[in-house]
Amino acid sequence: MSKTKILYQCQSCGYATPKWLGKCPDCGEWNSFVEEARVAKIKGQKTAQPVVLSEIAPSSDSRFSTGIKELDRTLGGGVVLGSVVLVGGDPGIGKSTLILQSLNGLTKLGKVLYVSGEESPEQVKLRAERLQIASDKIILLPETSLEGIISVAQDINPQVIVIDSIQTIFSLELTSAPGSVSQIRECATKLMFLAKKHAVPLFIIGHVTKEGAIAGPKVLEHIVDTVLYFEGDRGSPFRIIRAVKNRFGPANEIGVFEMQESGLKEVDNPSQLFLSERPLDVSGSVVTVSMEGTRPLLVEIQALVTASNFGVPRRTALGVDYNRINLLIAVLDKRIGMQLGGMDIFVNVVGGLKIDEPAIDLGIIAAIASSFKNTVIAHGTFTFGEIGLSGEVRAIGQAETRIKEAAKLGFKKGIVPASNAQKLDGHDVEIIGVKNVEEAIEILFY
Ligand code: TYD
Ligand code: MG
């Protein structure tokens, strides 16, 4: 028995309703509802058997290297059999390139089925030649129907499946267009079942839509095991992939690449890279240390403070949270008495990195103060620490690791939270602990 059920689904968040609505009650988007018909199957379903946790046989950690160290680390040490990895990013950022490059390593597992819904096999071939990927184990499938893909996969029994991209794939069971929320969700779910059943890794490539979320707003994130996301803009040659979610490893781990003629090249020492173009002896620039996953990264924060020509001063934040900047500006205003009210303030994390760790607060404060005072911060100095609303500098995690990384790159002096400083000893770096913003500014500039 089956019957067709009509549903209206929000294309922005996936909210479903039996009646058409002008505004989505869930995400507030206007005119986002699209009719979706689906055949509901109601007949008897199999239920899973409950098992006692302690009686489950431990499975060995079956990870495989993609042959790209930076990609392996982002995945938590290689790709896990039967895992579903979503690779998201802006169009043209390098998703197809990265996955194609990893196929050299992945073909060690066996046959790879590369479903290309966007490019013809000739185009893929051309690119593969450029990337020096050649293997008779890579099978290209220019197909966009889900049912077609599943039947081919069952025929040739691949050991790795790549879907490029999920927005082009559609299921014949649904009436909506490829790329719609229900299509993306349905296709990804069916493909995931296939991957889990045969224990093959599945890579799903998804474009970020203009709202800034993967594949019809984040609808896939909870389905997949791992979400890798490209950061950095297309203008810069650097590409950062970040594990936004990972069921098989630490989240927030990043891999750093440089886009070259012959594809993406791994960057071995990202700290050095991010600091390589740092202007010395210029005000408004400071180095801070951020933990990205398990790796400490030295980054340069730049600030520019100029008198505003308009009634309402501009505040721009690139790579850091806008609200955080406003908060820190308010702290400087209130606790130090810095007159920032009539100033335009721009803050930028160099290299296209996005950082949401409060440990860089003190770096942001230092950069803004340096630009405001037009006073240079000595280039062998770094700083980190979280700032509270009353201007106190709070302790942060992994201070030791951060300081070691700074020392490795030749930094001589660190201004860090006082409570962190107490527990540190024996470094080549001069460590100065500060309790609040006043102390930090005092040490940085006088
Ligand atoms: P691509 O992987 O096609 O992006 P996506 O799949 O995310 O849409 O990357 C395309 C861009 O990368 C394109 O602008 C050209 C550039 N590129 C290189 O610079 N060198 C290369 O070797 C390759 C293959 C691409
Ligand atoms: Mg592509």
Side-chain angles (χ1 to χ4, degrees):
M1 290 276 281
S2 65
K3 66 175 191 195
T4 305
K5 202 167 136 198
I6 303 275
L7 265 186
Y8 293 88
Q9 203 164 26
C10 171
Q11 296 302 296
S12 162
C13 69
Y15 182 86
T17 148
K19 254 172 53 188
W20 189 86
L21 297 173
K23 184 186 179 190
C24 176
D26 201 24
C27 69
E29 190 73 16
W30 285 92
N31 203 13
S32 61
F33 281 89
V34 167
E35 183 183 314
E36 314 263 10
R38 80 152 47 226
V39 183
K41 295 196 189 95
I42 322 162
K43 274 217 288 197
Q45 270 208 335
K46 265 197 279 175
T47 16
Q49 289 303 310
V51 278
V52 180
L53 179 63
S54 57
E55 286 170 11
I56 300 171
S59 69
S60 61
D61 194 12
S62 35
R63 282 183 189 275
F64 278 84
S65 171
T66 59
I68 303 177
K69 257 196 335 227
E70 289 288 299
L71 180 59
D72 284 348
R73 80 174 290 130
T74 330
L75 290 169
V79 56
V80 174
L81 293 188
S83 70
V84 183
V85 180
L86 174 66
V87 182
D90 291 334
I93 195 112
K95 301 179 293 295
S96 306
T97 307
L98 178 70
I99 297 304
L100 205 57
Q101 279 183 275
S102 71
L103 293 189
N104 251 357
L106 289 172
T107 44
K108 295 207 178 75
L109 271 171
K111 265 187 272 181
V112 177
L113 180 65
Y114 192 102
V115 180
S116 168
E118 282 183 358
E119 289 164 289
S120 67
E122 291 75 25
Q123 279 173 305
V124 179
K125 166 82 180 166
L126 218 69
R127 182 188 312 217
E129 261 172 9
R130 198 133 74 94
L131 301 172
Q132 293 173 355
I133 307 290
S135 164
D136 46 12
K137 287 192 182 148
I138 301 173
I139 295 155
L140 290 179
L141 179 65
E143 172 66 77
T144 50
S145 104
L146 175 71
E147 288 74 18
I149 295 165
I150 291 180
S151 101
V152 171
Q154 273 158 355
D155 279 352
I156 65 173
N157 200 13
Q159 298 309 301
V160 180
I161 303 175
V162 178
I163 304 291
D164 188 2
S165 66
I166 190 72
Q167 271 102 348
T168 57
I169 311 293
F170 66 97
S171 164
L172 298 168
E173 278 180 30
L174 301 180
T175 53
S176 50
S180 65
V181 172
S182 55
Q183 283 286 10
I184 286 175
R185 207 183 257 170
E186 173 83 5
C187 294
T189 312
K190 289 259 170 73
L191 289 164
M192 178 195 71
F193 286 146
L194 185 77
K196 300 273 176 212
K197 192 169 148 206
H198 299 283
V200 297
L202 166 67
F203 289 89
I204 297 177
I205 293 177
H207 292 294
V208 167
T209 55
K210 61 179 183 303
E211 277 80 29
I214 297 174
K218 298 202 172 232
V219 287
L220 289 183
E221 279 190 9
H222 66 284
I223 299 176
V224 302
D225 298 310
T226 304
V227 180
L228 302 185
Y229 192 86
F230 270 86
E231 282 176 17
D233 56 317
R234 266 188 296 172
S236 124
F238 303 119
R239 301 283 184 269
I240 297 149
I241 46 166
R242 186 186 293 272
V244 178
K245 162 187 174 181
N246 197 353
R247 284 189 186 141
F248 302 112
N252 250 340
E253 201 69 70
I254 63 167
V256 185
F257 296 89
E258 187 177 353
M259 183 60 99
Q260 292 180 356
E261 279 289 295
S262 53
L264 290 160
K265 286 280 161 319
E266 299 174 57
V267 172
D268 293 329
N269 192 340
S271 288
Q272 202 166 26
L273 173 95
F274 288 130
L275 298 185
S276 62
E277 283 175 32
R278 183 175 173 227
L280 303 177
D281 306 322
V282 174
S283 68
S285 156
V286 71
V287 172
T288 185
V289 198
S290 167
M291 291 299 297
E292 301 300 320
T294 55
R295 172 156 68 180
L297 256 194
L298 268 81
V299 284
E300 179 193 351
I301 295 183
Q302 293 185 333
L304 184 64
V305 180
T306 57
S308 179
N309 291 321
F310 300 100
V312 182
R314 276 176 51 170
R315 302 284 146 89
T316 307
L318 296 169
V320 278
D321 183 38
Y322 178 78
N323 292 322
R324 195 90 203 156
I325 298 289
N326 281 328
L327 186 152
L328 295 172
I329 292 170
V331 169
L332 273 174
D333 202 319
K334 180 90 178 173
R335 305 290 162 198
I336 309 285
M338 223 174 252
Q339 305 278 314
L340 295 167
M343 297 290 188
D344 286 341
I345 300 177
F346 308 88
V347 177
N348 177 30
V349 177
V350 178
L353 202 67
K354 288 197 187 77
I355 302 182
D356 61 1
E357 203 197 18
I360 65 165
D361 285 357
L362 196 50
I364 296 171
I365 289 256
I368 294 174
S370 162
S371 178
F372 179 78
K373 290 170 182 285
N374 208 9
T375 308
V376 177
I377 294 173
H379 62 252
T381 303
F382 66 93
T383 183
F384 57 76
E386 180 179 348
I387 308 279
L389 283 185
S390 46
E392 78 276 20
V393 177
R394 294 163 168 266
I396 55 157
Q398 313 207 46
E400 187 101 37
T401 320
R402 296 176 207 250
I403 289 170
K404 273 191 193 141
E405 176 78 1
K408 212 165 76 187
L409 280 129
F411 282 80
K412 294 278 170 270
K413 187 163 149 188
I415 292 151
V416 308
S419 35
N420 280 130
Q422 285 165 4
K423 296 180 200 140
L424 299 166
D425 49 14
H427 288 286
D428 310 339
V429 182
E430 180 195 354
I431 297 294
I432 302 168
V434 289
K435 285 202 187 67
N436 49 46
V437 179
E438 290 94 319
E439 278 182 36
I441 298 288
E442 181 84 26
I443 287 166
L444 280 164
F445 300 105
Y446 301 101

